[in-house]
Amino acid sequence: MYVSIFTDMVFPFPVVPEAPADVKLVTKGSKTVDISWMAGFKRNSTIQNYTVEIRIDKENFSDVGCQGTLSNGSCVLSNSSTSASLTGLFPFTKYFIRVFATNAVGSSKSSSVVNVTTDEEGTFRFIVSLLVMTQTK
């Protein structure tokens, strides 16, 4: 007769967290994009931070600036954050955005990628300035 003494024992060990879920666009402008997400399962290790990456069509993903970042030159947000305001973007440009969660073990897989095209920047101010400059000469 075979008896298993391990049937009720659980050996929790930390692994990388699940990817953030439901990444979506909240608002956008000509040079900024606001996104939000839901935290994935932390898998027995507290999430330390979230990292947001961005790319333009046919480019590699790279760092992006954002408000409230914990790291200079990249968008790394605290473990309590579930949104980001991405800054320094170009007007009327299509971007692809993804989010990672990091715990003591490492980084999650990428979230699903959300794409957004920033708004066009108005030309009215430029035209008015040009007319004023032309008339004052």
Side-chain angles (χ1 to χ4, degrees):
M1 178 158 131
Y2 176 78
V3 177
S4 174
I5 60 171
F6 297 107
T7 56
D8 293 329
M9 296 183 74
V10 177
F11 298 98
F13 55 92
V15 294
V16 296
E18 286 184 356
D22 197 27
V23 178
K24 60 185 171 187
L25 173 68
V26 177
T27 60
K28 66 177 181 157
S30 62
K31 296 181 181 178
T32 61
V33 168
D34 296 337
I35 61 167
S36 68
W37 61 87
M38 292 177 37
F41 183 60
K42 63 183 181 176
R43 296 188 173 165
N44 296 324
S45 180
T46 302
I47 293 175
Q48 296 173 337
N49 59 57
Y50 292 97
T51 302
V52 180
E53 292 182 338
I54 196 166
R55 76 174 172 90
I56 297 175
D57 199 23
K58 299 179 182 161
E59 301 275 331
N60 292 325
F61 276 95
S62 62
D63 293 331
V64 62
C66 69
Q67 294 178 351
T69 186
L70 302 174
S71 176
N72 193 14
S74 60
C75 187
V76 179
L77 300 161
S78 74
N79 63 348
S80 62
S81 295
T82 55
S83 64
S85 182
L86 311 180
T87 58
L89 306 179
F90 296 108
F92 200 57
T93 303
K94 187 172 185 176
Y95 289 98
F96 300 85
I97 302 163
R98 65 185 182 184
V99 183
F100 295 88
T102 302
N103 64 13
V105 178
S107 292
S108 69
K109 291 183 178 180
S110 165
S111 68
S112 58
V113 174
V114 64
N115 64 63
V116 60
T117 301
T118 51
D119 293 340
E120 288 187 69
E121 205 165 53
T123 56
F124 178 74
R125 196 176 302 172
F126 172 73
I127 293 170
V128 170
S129 297
L130 185 61
L131 286 173
V132 170
M133 287 178 18
T134 305
Q135 292 177 355
T136 58
K137 287 186 176 183

